[in-house]
Amino acid sequence: MSPRVVIDSEGDIILQLHQEQPSEAAADGETVGEKLETRELIVSSKVLSLASPVFKVMISGKFKEGVELAEKTASSETYDLPLPEDDAEATIILCRVLHFSIKDVPEKPTTVCLEKLAYLCDKYQCINAMKYCGGLWLRNWLLVCDNEDPSIDDLCRLLIFAYVVDLPYEFLGISWKLFLTHKGPFLGPFTQAVMLVDHPLLHHNVAREMDTKRFQCCKSFHRGIMAPANWNWQTLTKNCYRAAKAVGSYFNSLQIAGILPYDLGFTEHRFCDLIRKASHLPYISVSQIKTESRRFYYNKLRACRKREQKSLPGAGASVPLALEERWQWEWSKIRLPNAGVSVPLALEER
């Protein structure tokens, strides 16, 4: 890797950056450590001043850098401006974008590099100059996210970059993907999005707002999957047990799919998994539930009454009240609709 990068061949400033490089490997093949390598960028002070008000004040005003630059310019020499705190890779990309050297700009920088670019854009206040390339980078990353599940840390870095560069459309797409793939609430001791909590580039309400939106979606999903238990079943109060069996089969399918059990915050679930499981639930219809015939219940009741009459103390003894009530309850089960009558199903209508 060349220590000097020429972005403007006629530039009057040399930015001196520090970049960590792995040291030479030891005899056992392990890396001993890392060393700092100085990289130099030849850029134009005019371009930096036009793109960044911070650079404009620094090198065009009465600060030390501005005075020294003026002296070097008068003697036709380049001025060395050390920037030890800035990342070398991110600064090179930023300067290439500012100098319209687009052919040397990567199509999809890493998420770590984008987060460092967000720091530079915020530090030097050159957000507007980064919007076009930043939007293209995030859209390329969103295409990748459509085909595979990126890590939560990568999504957090992309979200930070979209927030700093002020790209609302890309911010919406990344936050939606983060919502789908994040397991549990965004706030709390078990959050996976630790990077979003108290990040220096994010407003403190960003993570809280995302957590609030997620909880609202949790409540909506809960109401949706519990809705069959609250419907006004036309057959549930007319001595027909088809509706009850259908609801029981439905909740059994939820348990088999892994949706149940859950808490209201769906702490152990990802929403992408919940939506996928819910979309593959089996079709359940009341008309598919088989019921026994009226004659079957009548014979069953007669046999039950004979067995319990034999257990009574004496043939002429009166039947206890509890047994009478049980007979009435058993008899109520006989009053079923005819086998050929179709039963309305609220689940099918929904």
Side-chain angles (χ1 to χ4, degrees):
M1 183 179 295
S2 176
R4 172 168 289 193
V5 179
V6 179
I7 297 180
D8 186 353
S9 58
E10 299 180 356
D12 54 350
I13 288 184
I14 298 179
L15 302 180
Q16 294 180 340
L17 308 167
H18 292 163
Q19 185 173 18
E20 292 183 352
Q21 294 291 336
S23 301
E24 295 181 359
D28 55 359
E30 295 183 358
T31 302
V32 177
E34 293 184 347
K35 63 179 181 180
L36 290 178
E37 180 185 66
T38 301
R39 302 201 64 186
E40 296 180 344
L41 276 67
I42 303 179
V43 296
S44 170
S45 60
K46 185 64 174 179
V47 173
L48 297 182
S49 300
L50 291 175
S52 167
V54 176
F55 273 120
K56 182 178 180 179
V57 173
M58 182 190 302
I59 61 182
S60 300
K62 297 181 179 180
F63 289 96
K64 172 179 175 292
E65 293 84 359
V67 174
E68 293 177 351
L69 175 61
E71 295 176 353
K72 291 290 184 177
T73 303
S75 59
S76 300
E77 298 179 7
T78 56
Y79 172 64
D80 295 339
L81 178 61
L83 300 175
E85 298 180 355
D86 296 345
D87 180 75
E89 181 186 5
T91 305
I92 292 173
I93 295 177
L94 175 63
C95 290
R96 282 174 173 166
V97 172
L98 298 182
H99 287 74
F100 291 96
S101 183
I102 305 299
K103 61 182 180 63
D104 298 323
V105 175
E107 295 183 358
K108 187 169 64 66
T110 64
T111 58
V112 176
C113 182
L114 288 177
E115 184 186 8
K116 294 177 179 179
L117 272 170
Y119 277 104
L120 293 178
C121 291
D122 181 73
K123 177 180 179 180
Y124 296 113
Q125 300 180 18
C126 52
I127 294 173
N128 292 330
M130 190 59 62
K131 279 182 177 294
Y132 179 74
C133 288
L136 293 179
W137 292 334
L138 293 183
R139 289 168 198 168
N140 289 337
W141 268 107
L142 285 173
L143 292 177
V144 175
C145 296
D146 290 338
N147 299 323
E148 59 186 43
D149 288 336
S151 66
I152 298 297
D153 288 342
D154 285 342
L155 289 173
C156 290
R157 294 187 182 99
L158 295 175
L159 191 74
I160 293 169
F161 181 80
Y163 178 83
V164 172
V165 185
D166 192 18
L167 299 170
Y169 175 80
E170 289 76 11
F171 182 90
L172 177 62
I174 296 169
S175 60
W176 171 249
K177 188 65 178 179
L178 182 60
F179 159 75
L180 291 177
T181 56
H182 189 274
K183 183 179 179 181
F186 286 103
L187 299 179
F190 303 106
T191 178
Q192 295 176 295
V194 182
M195 195 177 302
L196 297 183
V197 181
D198 297 330
H199 195 280
L201 295 180
L202 289 179
H203 193 274
H204 65 277
N205 282 337
V206 172
R208 185 177 295 108
E209 286 294 328
M210 293 184 64
D211 191 67
T212 301
K213 294 293 184 181
R214 185 186 184 278
F215 187 69
Q216 292 175 356
C217 292
C218 289
K219 293 192 294 184
S220 299
F221 190 84
H222 169 73
R223 289 194 300 267
I225 63 176
M226 290 298 172
N230 301 320
W231 290 343
N232 185 21
W233 293 92
Q234 300 182 20
T235 57
L236 197 59
T237 57
K238 294 184 179 180
N239 303 321
C240 177
Y241 295 89
R242 284 186 172 184
K245 291 182 178 180
V247 174
S249 299
Y250 167 71
F251 282 102
N252 184 56
S253 66
L254 292 179
Q255 187 174 12
I256 294 175
I259 298 178
L260 293 178
Y262 65 86
D263 54 76
L264 192 55
F266 290 91
T267 307
E268 299 297 326
H269 296 272
R270 301 190 310 168
F271 254 90
C272 60
D273 296 333
L274 291 173
I275 295 175
R276 175 180 53 81
K277 293 174 181 178
S279 62
H280 289 85
L281 288 175
Y283 176 75
I284 299 175
S285 172
V286 167
S287 59
Q288 297 173 351
I289 305 299
K290 296 181 179 180
T291 57
E292 305 295 344
S293 63
R294 186 188 301 264
R295 176 56 58 183
F296 173 82
Y297 279 108
Y298 179 73
N299 293 335
K300 182 178 179 181
L301 178 59
R302 290 187 60 185
C304 179
R305 293 181 65 177
K306 288 182 179 180
R307 287 196 304 270
E308 298 200 11
Q309 281 180 350
K310 290 181 180 180
S311 63
L312 293 176
S318 60
V319 181
L321 178 61
L323 188 58
E324 289 283 357
E325 292 176 351
R326 177 177 177 182
W327 287 349
Q328 294 176 3
W329 180 77
E330 289 285 349
W331 181 255
S332 67
K333 293 195 296 185
I334 298 178
R335 304 181 184 275
L336 297 172
N338 293 331
V341 177
S342 61
V343 182
L345 176 60
L347 186 58
E348 292 177 345
E349 297 173 357
R350 292 291 179 102

